[in-house]
Amino acid sequence: MRSQATESIVGRPGFADRMAALAAQTGQSVDEVRDEAIASLNEMAADQSEAAVMAWSRAGEWLSRGYRIEADTQVLATLRSLSDTSSLVFLPNHRSYLDPFVLRSVLAEWGFPPNHILGGVNLSFFPLGSIARRSNIVFIRRQFRDAPVYRAMLGEYLAHLVRSDANLEWYIEGGRTRTGKLRPPRMGILSYLLDAFDRSDVDDLLFVPVSIIYDQQHEVGLIAEEESGGVKPAEGIRWLVDYARAQGNRRGAAHVRFAEPVSLREVLADARAAAGTDDVRAAVPRVAFEVSHRINQVTPITASALVMLTLMDNGDRAMTEPQMRASLLPVVEYIRDRGLAVSSGLDLSKVDVLTTRSPSEGRRALDTLVREGVVSEYSGGLEPVYSIPADRQLEAAFYRNTLSHFFVTRSITELALVKAAEDQSSDLSAAVWGEALRLRDLLKYEFFVSTKREFDAEVRQEADLALPGW
């Protein structure tokens, strides 16, 4: 049985010509190509049923029961208004299998229709797959480079969704981060979507960068094990049951933040002017890296990240609470001076971030990390001391790395200032800027950096903070 989307695509003018062209390209008959095309469309096309959407939502609520969900509601009101006139493409980072459930829960509260979520076919197992497919989940093969008909139909299906004003969602990293740091963007699906947009008469698409971050995650331990050479368990019923059981403990909040949308029409105009070509794919890297940069900018600093930053910066030595607070003080002052995003409930106006009086977010985070075994507490002395066990270093680094991008420009600026001083440069500003640019280019494949104009302003700001009046 053909899906409604398949019927619509097959019935469009020009589909027969597309089949003939693919037949000539592959050496198959037109009938063979048409059969493969229809099978491919039926494989990926998602249909929506109210019962399935409700079941998916209830499953998500249960799986994410260990978290309270906190979202930036001010931005959501603007996005809801924009969705009435433009298709929105939500591009979140990917930290957990819970991400799609958390995001759908937030959007549903604001009256958004269910996004068409593009996901890996590895999660299309019974019964999850059959429910998900009728809840607008679009399952895509992991590998289809050698499947020209499938590739062509993926483009046709995305074009169909664009013409239908559907909101889309996929995870631009292509998989869950293994380090806590944002992974390089995967640009394949983005290329297909830009090509589909270029062939449509749609005025614009708005890409919405989304940050989803958790105070603590059960998955971090498994991810660390895989990073150490462990084998990732295959997704299936047994895996799903074990995963669901593990989500029962309270682990704080899931924080959802939305960055300013990226207008595809504007990016295309800039990219075409810069590249001197009408090829829409010239804009793909520009869109991908701008989205990734904006995700980083709105990712809030959590109490867990601050705790891990402090403990990991102390070598192998354990720390008392007063020592941790003293170590955190300059970091907290820097975060306040920069006006960086912090998680709701994390009050940086107080010096005692980890105070035991009227437990703060920092204290709760420390207690949870101790309970999870990521932090070790020794209470046999005059006062408790805390450290990170040797076998939990990767997990600790995962939490710390969620805020590392906020310190990259500061680190570059300090190194540039030191280099200019050591060289006794006659033109201090030029020397600092030149070295900052060199380091920026060196790190641009490891971190997502601003445009040169924005970077110039950031370096000046950091230099003024580090050495006022330099």
Side-chain angles (χ1 to χ4, degrees):
M1 179 183 295
R2 296 181 186 178
S3 69
Q4 292 181 352
T6 301
E7 291 287 357
S8 176
I9 295 168
V10 171
R12 282 186 62 80
F15 185 79
D17 293 339
R18 192 75 188 274
M19 295 299 98
L22 284 169
Q25 176 185 344
T26 62
Q28 298 172 277
S29 70
V30 172
D31 288 341
E32 288 173 332
V33 168
R34 182 183 175 87
D35 289 344
E36 184 179 346
I38 291 172
S40 297
L41 287 169
N42 285 333
E43 177 184 329
M44 67 182 72
D47 288 320
Q48 181 177 328
S49 81
E50 187 173 340
V53 170
M54 185 174 296
W56 185 260
S57 298
R58 287 177 176 172
E61 290 173 2
W62 183 67
L63 285 171
S64 58
R65 64 195 183 278
Y67 299 95
R68 64 184 188 278
I69 299 175
E70 299 178 344
D72 185 351
T73 56
Q74 292 182 341
V75 178
L76 277 170
T78 303
L79 291 175
R80 185 67 188 88
S81 177
L82 288 173
S83 70
D84 292 334
T85 56
S86 300
S87 289
L88 303 181
V89 182
F90 292 88
L91 295 175
N93 60 342
H94 198 12
R95 299 185 183 278
S96 169
Y97 287 113
L98 298 177
D99 294 342
F101 297 109
V102 169
L103 182 55
R104 178 166 290 191
S105 172
V106 170
L107 295 179
E109 286 188 11
W110 282 79
F112 286 85
N115 292 340
H116 282 74
I117 305 174
L118 277 64
V121 74
N122 56 304
L123 293 175
S124 182
F125 55 84
F126 181 83
L128 185 68
S130 56
I131 297 173
R133 195 178 297 277
R134 292 194 293 273
S135 187
N136 279 4
I137 311 298
V138 180
F139 289 115
I140 304 296
R141 296 177 190 174
R142 287 294 190 182
Q143 301 290 336
F144 49 85
R145 179 175 298 178
D146 298 326
V149 177
Y150 185 90
R151 292 203 313 270
M153 291 308 101
L154 177 58
E156 292 291 339
Y157 184 56
L158 290 175
H160 165 77
L161 294 176
V162 168
R163 291 191 301 267
S164 303
D165 293 327
N167 288 346
L168 278 68
E169 173 188 335
W170 79 87
Y171 293 78
I172 194 165
E173 296 169 274
R176 293 171 301 158
T177 174
R178 294 297 192 264
T179 64
K181 188 166 66 71
L182 201 62
R183 296 172 64 175
R186 300 292 293 271
M187 303 186 199
I189 299 298
L190 191 59
S191 297
Y192 285 99
L193 184 62
L194 264 64
D195 186 59
F197 170 80
D198 198 42
R199 292 188 285 110
S200 73
D201 56 0
V202 174
D203 180 59
D204 199 6
L205 280 180
L206 296 178
F207 292 95
V208 184
V210 184
S211 167
I212 305 175
I213 190 171
Y214 304 83
D215 285 338
Q216 279 93 39
Q217 289 178 242
H218 164 71
E219 288 162 82
V220 174
L222 299 176
I223 289 171
E225 185 178 332
E226 293 168 20
E227 281 293 283
S228 300
V231 178
K232 178 185 175 183
E235 291 86 354
I237 291 292
R238 180 70 185 182
W239 166 86
L240 181 61
V241 170
D242 291 342
Y243 185 82
R245 285 175 177 168
Q247 303 306 317
N249 292 333
R250 300 297 298 178
R251 292 191 172 89
H255 307 277
V256 185
R257 300 289 186 270
F258 302 88
E260 181 181 350
V262 177
S263 166
L264 180 54
R265 177 166 43 83
E266 294 177 5
V267 172
L268 278 177
D270 291 344
R272 283 169 168 163
T277 176
D278 286 336
D279 186 359
V280 67
R281 301 202 175 194
V284 171
R286 187 178 295 237
V287 172
F289 284 94
E290 181 61 27
V291 165
S292 298
H293 177 62
R294 294 190 187 190
I295 289 173
N296 270 342
Q297 295 306 106
V298 298
T299 297
I301 295 171
T302 66
S304 300
L306 289 175
V307 168
M308 290 311 186
L309 178 68
T310 304
L311 289 174
M312 296 198 79
D313 193 40
N314 201 45
D316 295 329
R317 298 185 301 277
M319 302 179 75
T320 64
E321 281 186 36
Q323 288 171 334
M324 293 174 71
R325 288 198 294 273
S327 178
L328 272 175
L329 182 57
V331 178
V332 169
E333 290 177 346
Y334 174 75
I335 293 170
R336 287 203 302 255
D337 289 342
R338 283 276 312 275
L340 300 178
V342 298
S343 60
S344 53
L346 183 57
D347 187 0
L348 297 186
S349 65
K350 301 176 182 177
V351 174
D352 291 342
V353 179
L354 292 173
T355 181
T356 54
R357 301 185 301 275
S358 63
S360 63
E361 283 295 303
R363 179 69 246 184
R364 281 191 285 268
L366 181 58
D367 288 342
T368 304
L369 290 164
V370 169
R371 188 190 69 214
E372 296 290 320
V374 184
V375 172
S376 173
E377 178 183 22
Y378 177 72
S379 304
L382 296 177
E383 58 182 318
V385 293
Y386 302 90
S387 62
I388 302 170
D391 60 345
R392 309 301 287 269
Q393 292 286 326
L394 286 176
E395 294 172 66
F398 184 99
Y399 294 111
R400 179 204 58 192
N401 290 345
T402 61
L403 57 72
S404 61
H405 58 277
F406 285 121
F407 299 94
V408 172
T409 303
R410 175 56 174 260
S411 302
I412 288 175
T413 304
E414 290 187 1
L415 288 171
L417 286 166
V418 170
K419 180 71 162 56
E422 288 178 343
D423 293 347
Q424 299 182 342
S425 303
S426 57
D427 188 340
L428 185 61
S429 294
V432 170
W433 176 241
E435 179 64 8
L437 274 183
R438 187 187 72 81
L439 292 171
R440 173 185 179 272
D441 288 343
L442 183 68
L443 296 173
K444 66 183 179 182
Y445 297 110
E446 186 67 24
F447 295 94
F448 299 99
V449 295
S450 310
T451 63
K452 286 187 178 180
R453 180 179 299 177
E454 294 170 333
F455 184 68
D456 175 65
E458 291 168 0
V459 169
R460 292 176 184 277
Q461 179 190 27
E462 294 292 357
D464 287 337
L465 288 173
L467 292 173
W470 67 282

